Structures are given as structure tokens and as C-alpha cells.
Amino acid sequence: MKLEDITKDTKIKELSKEYPWLIDEVKKLSDRAAAVPSGMLKMILARATMSDIADKVNEPVDSLIEMLKDLIRKHEGSSK
């Protein structure tokens, strides 16, 4: 998945297939998310869209998308 293809309707599950480390990074965005056991969080995130996650962490969806893109760029060591 190209970074420019990430939208408010992108499911976290789709991103986690390409970027398996991403769910652990999402947990760092919210204290509430960090408190949820990893297995349960993965089940919740499997159905969640970017918009759903933005609502849960009380962040504008556009900002969340940019944060995740930045995380991906840093992790990949590139400027995709």
C-alpha cells in the first residue's frame, strides 16, 4: 500500500499486513489503547478504520494519518 493511498476509510488491518509493527505504534498514541491487551487490541483494530481510531484517540483523522505516515517513513528509513 502506498502512503498516498491511506485515507480515513483505510482499515488498520490493511496497513498491518504491510506494516506488521504498526499496531504496536498505534498503542503508543493513546494511554487507553496502551492499557488494552495486545491480542484484544489487534481484534478491535482488525475492523477499525483510520476514522474510528482518530475518534478513539481524540485526534483529527488527517493528523492521525500524517502521524502514521511519518512513523512508516521513519521505520522504513525512507521518504516514501
Side-chain angles (χ1 to χ4, degrees):
M1 173 177 282
K2 296 179 183 176
L3 294 183
E4 59 267 14
D5 294 335
I6 300 172
T7 70
K8 66 181 182 71
D9 297 317
T10 300
K11 292 195 180 255
I12 296 295
K13 183 177 182 177
E14 294 170 20
L15 287 175
S16 69
K17 285 180 184 175
E18 184 140 355
Y19 310 105
W21 50 268
L22 193 59
I23 288 178
D24 290 330
E25 293 300 319
V26 169
K27 286 182 74 165
K28 295 175 186 176
L29 298 176
S30 166
D31 292 338
R32 289 184 354 188
V36 178
S38 290
M40 183 180 290
L41 185 64
K42 287 180 182 181
M43 288 180 357
I44 293 167
L45 293 179
R47 293 174 277 164
T49 64
M50 296 297 292
S51 186
D52 296 332
I53 299 302
D55 288 344
K56 294 293 183 197
V57 298
N58 198 27
E59 185 74 36
V61 71
D62 292 336
S63 296
L64 178 63
I65 290 170
E66 285 307 312
M67 280 191 280
L68 291 180
K69 286 180 179 181
D70 286 344
L71 287 170
I72 292 167
R73 285 184 196 108
K74 287 176 186 171
H75 191 272
E76 300 288 308
S78 67
S79 58
K80 284 185 181 178

